[in-house]
Amino acid sequence: MEISDLEEKQSLAGDSPAKSFISSSTETVTIAEFSTFIEKLSPILDEMKDSNEVADLPAIQKAIESLETDLRNAKSVVGSPNIRSSPAKNIEYLTQNLGRSLGLVLFASHDVPIANKEKIKALHKEMMNVRFDFSSERGSEFPSEAEEETMEEEIEEEKVENEIEDEEDEETEEDDKITLDIDDIMMQIKNGNDGKFKNALFELNALIMDGVVSNERINDDGMIKVLSQKLGSSKGHDRVTIIQILRYLIMQNNQNKEEMKDLGFLSTLVKSLARDVDERREAVGLLLNLADDPAVRRRIGKVQGCIVMLVTISNGDDQEASRDARKLLNAMSSNTQHALHMAEAGYFKPLVHYLKEGSDMSKVLMATAISRMELTDQNKASLGEDGAIEPLVNMFNKGNLEAKLSALNALKSLSSLKENIQLLIHSGIVVALLQLLFSVTSVLMTLREPASAILAKISQSESILVKQDIAQQMLSLLNLSSPVIQNHLLEALNNIASHSSASKVRKKMKENGAIQLLLPFITERNTKIRTGTLNLVYTLSKDIPGEFREQLGETYLTNIVDIVSTSTCECEKAASLGILSNLPVDDRKITDLLKNANLFPVLISMVNSISSTSTPTTIWLTESIAGILIRFTIPTDKKLQHYSAENGIIPVLLKLLSSGSSVTKSKAATCLTQLSQNSLHLSKSRKSKWFCIPHTESVCEVHDGYCSIKSTFCLVKTGAVSPLIQALEGSERASNEAVLSCLLTLLQDEIWEKGINYISKMSGIQPILRVVESGNSKSQEKALWILEKFFRVEAHRVEYGQSAQMLLIDLAQNGDPILKPTLGKLLAQLEILQAQSSYF
């Protein structure tokens, strides 16, 4: 208990035991001065202790506590007989030591506006500069040499004893202080407000990290339980500190884990996985520290979202957290359910491990899970890369019925990815799948459906073509299979026949009667089987239009037309139209059958109703329709052309030319070419002797007669020239040849100059020059024919000759030799070569 100010003055003035040892006036003055410092310091210390400004500032609090301890020790020493050996020197030391402690308070409160700071600075300076006279501290009577030696020995012994006692006193005091601090800290942690809680947590962390808190004290105070309970209600930085303390306590004593195994605490800790980077790192580290216990791993796995968050962290940028998360996932994967949850979160290594090395039951469990998961392409790629294909194929080859079925269903799911298809082909599974499909063993029948589905996917790769007669084997299975298997086989056959390098396979299929085998399936009620059949027939019919016509027969042709007119399935319609577009366009019997079946208006209506949004199916539809329309515009049948024009073909052709694919544009341009070839002869001359009969048509500036859309199919009157030129302006060059052929119909001998002028008027020369620059040799040849007529006109030669000559010279030097004669004429027209030059 502290001495009151009055008691301090009396004690220091001489009423204490020190009086019998200190009698000189100098010593009395020294003690009096020290008493003055105490009088000044005590109220300052009390005021700082009670100040609200420093209540939540740990550094200042510690400095004040240190000053208070030094002051208490100083009072004790001054009141002790031990000071008699050198009173002035000891008091000077005590005064300066107090000054240093006061200076630490000033330093700690550098940025804090505490009261009387200037007064404190002045006292600090005064105490540090204090000096006392030590000269009078030897008595007037001098002891003998022996007495002096004995006195020195006694003083030295007393000094050592005093030092030992001081050290022991300090240690006892330090233990009391720590005990008092921890009691106060724990009280603040349990009950303090946010600020005090934060400071107390900081102090506790420092004490624990310094190793001054025993494990016994940790247990007695229930620190782990208190901290665990506080984790959920604490703020961000405080949570990080709590988790750090708990991790340290586990490192110091493994028994400390026991109180952290509660599901409630683990659930709270898992929530920290979704917070900021520091907290996430500490939380996953603590979970890993606790996870050596299987029971803890099970509890962690039960916490909703935990495994998903761990997978996310394992893929993150924080290397420490990522490493710990992977370790924890691997530890938890000893539980098969956890491994499945990891797979659902996109972490497949544990699942693949079970497929390779697990029990038969575990393998079936993992394979079944793969077949039931909604896997993204990235998931399928990860499973393939992690090595799932090979053990699944082994399960299919060597396992029991349950293993075979689960493996096939898993492989069916994985086979939709191109990269996995290659792995399946290399695994040698194709032969085994075909053998299974030919099997008549009843117990294996349930395996045939997934086997056929896998073959359908594998067939997307051209690598399957190395398997000899695979297509023929599948064809022979069609009539022996269920509808589901038939559908998969048809998909596989169409994939195989569609490969660019499959011409030999297609030829062999047709030679072995594939089309005759397939045609009956066109009348199937099952839409998928009908569509699959039509797709395959379309693929096989592309190479043999004439031969295919003979094999098709009128009955099946009528069936296909009916499908176009009545089906609600766009894919089925597209395949049917594709077959019709592959039939010979000059076969009049087919044309009459299609016309009599009222197909033409159906085609016109379909084009007008097709959405502007392009899909693979709509592209196929429009390409096929444009191909069929070619037969309705053949130039040898003007009556049929009139029928087509009357029923709206020209607006449809312009629509296809403006918005279709390059194939559609090319076919539409071919239709317009065939119509335009007859325009000159159908145009009514202005010099007709029937001049008294009024004409409803207007005069055409190219044909120099009366033209109209429906009567003469004139490109000028239909407005077709502009979209034809626009078709030349894009980067796509596949339709250039057909478009240029159409423009050439305006350059027939009788009208070529008017045609050239009109093309120039419609800004067609620059697009034609671009074809000369970057088209293929056939389109370049047609473009040069147009330019040759173009440069016959001097005005055009003057306007465009200079810009064209370098292009023409380069083409003459580096282009196809077949173009040289036409290029020679053009260069002669531009006077770059003499007309009689033999260079070309």
Side-chain angles (χ1 to χ4, degrees), residues 415-426:
S415 65
S416 62
L417 188 72
K418 182 179 179 181
E419 292 81 355
N420 289 342
I421 289 174
Q422 294 303 118
L423 294 173
L424 279 167
I425 291 174
H426 294 321

Side-chain angles (χ1 to χ4, degrees), residues 363-632:
K363 289 178 180 179
V364 170
L365 181 65
M366 298 302 156
T368 303
I370 292 174
S371 66
R372 293 177 179 175
M373 288 179 191
E374 293 186 7
L375 299 172
T376 65
D377 284 349
Q378 185 177 355
N379 294 153
K380 294 172 186 176
S382 295
L383 280 162
E385 292 166 2
D386 290 343
I389 301 292
E390 184 178 353
L392 287 171
V393 172
N394 288 336
M395 285 177 65
F396 165 63
N397 288 330
K398 301 176 182 178
N400 59 23
L401 181 62
E402 184 183 22
K404 288 178 183 293
L405 183 58
S406 61
L408 280 179
N409 285 326
L411 290 171
K412 175 184 172 183
S413 177
L414 298 179
S415 65
S416 62
L417 188 72
K418 182 179 179 181
E419 292 81 355
N420 289 342
I421 289 174
Q422 294 303 118
L423 294 173
L424 279 167
I425 291 174
H426 294 321
S427 75
I429 197 174
V430 174
V431 173
L433 292 174
L434 283 171
Q435 289 174 347
L436 175 61
L437 290 174
F438 278 105
S439 173
V440 293
T441 306
S442 59
V443 74
L444 298 178
M445 296 302 283
T446 55
L447 305 179
R448 298 180 78 216
E449 287 188 10
S452 62
I454 294 170
L455 279 174
K457 299 300 182 184
I458 290 177
S459 64
Q460 295 176 45
S461 170
E462 290 200 30
S463 302
I464 201 170
L465 295 176
V466 302
K467 308 296 181 183
Q468 295 295 324
D469 295 329
I470 186 171
Q472 199 59 39
Q473 291 182 61
M474 289 184 185
L475 277 171
S476 65
L477 286 167
L478 274 176
N479 286 316
L480 305 174
S481 304
S482 67
V484 174
I485 295 174
Q486 286 176 335
N487 186 51
H488 290 315
L489 290 173
L490 287 167
E491 180 184 350
L493 285 165
N494 191 52
N495 287 335
I496 291 171
S498 298
H499 291 310
S500 58
S501 57
S503 59
K504 291 182 179 179
V505 173
R506 291 193 295 271
K507 182 179 179 182
K508 194 166 186 179
M509 289 173 69
K510 286 176 282 193
E511 288 174 352
N512 289 321
I515 292 177
Q516 289 89 338
L517 176 67
L518 292 168
L519 286 175
F521 288 100
I522 290 176
T523 60
E524 277 284 338
R525 298 183 64 180
N526 186 305
T527 303
K528 286 187 176 180
I529 293 177
R530 280 202 316 272
T531 303
T533 301
L534 291 166
N535 284 335
L536 182 53
V537 170
Y538 163 74
T539 301
L540 295 175
S541 68
K542 288 190 288 187
D543 300 335
I544 50 166
E547 183 181 340
F548 173 61
R549 166 67 182 95
E550 296 175 2
Q551 295 177 345
L552 183 59
E554 187 172 322
T555 301
Y556 288 120
L557 179 58
T558 302
N559 290 333
I560 293 171
V561 174
D562 289 341
I563 290 172
V564 174
S565 302
T566 61
S567 176
T568 57
C569 175
E570 292 291 288
C571 294
E572 187 178 17
K573 284 186 176 183
S576 299
L577 289 166
I579 292 172
L580 296 177
S581 70
N582 286 340
L583 293 170
V585 296
D586 57 353
D587 190 317
R588 185 57 188 258
K589 288 184 179 181
I590 294 177
T591 303
D592 288 343
L593 187 150
L594 298 180
K595 182 181 176 184
N596 294 335
N598 208 32
L599 178 65
F600 186 84
V602 172
L603 300 180
I604 299 301
S605 176
M606 287 177 66
V607 174
N608 289 328
S609 63
I610 288 175
S611 170
S612 58
T613 303
S614 293
T615 66
T617 302
T618 58
I619 291 172
W620 191 12
L621 276 170
T622 54
E623 289 178 353
S624 298
I625 290 173
I628 296 171
L629 291 178
I630 291 175
R631 74 167 52 251
F632 286 95

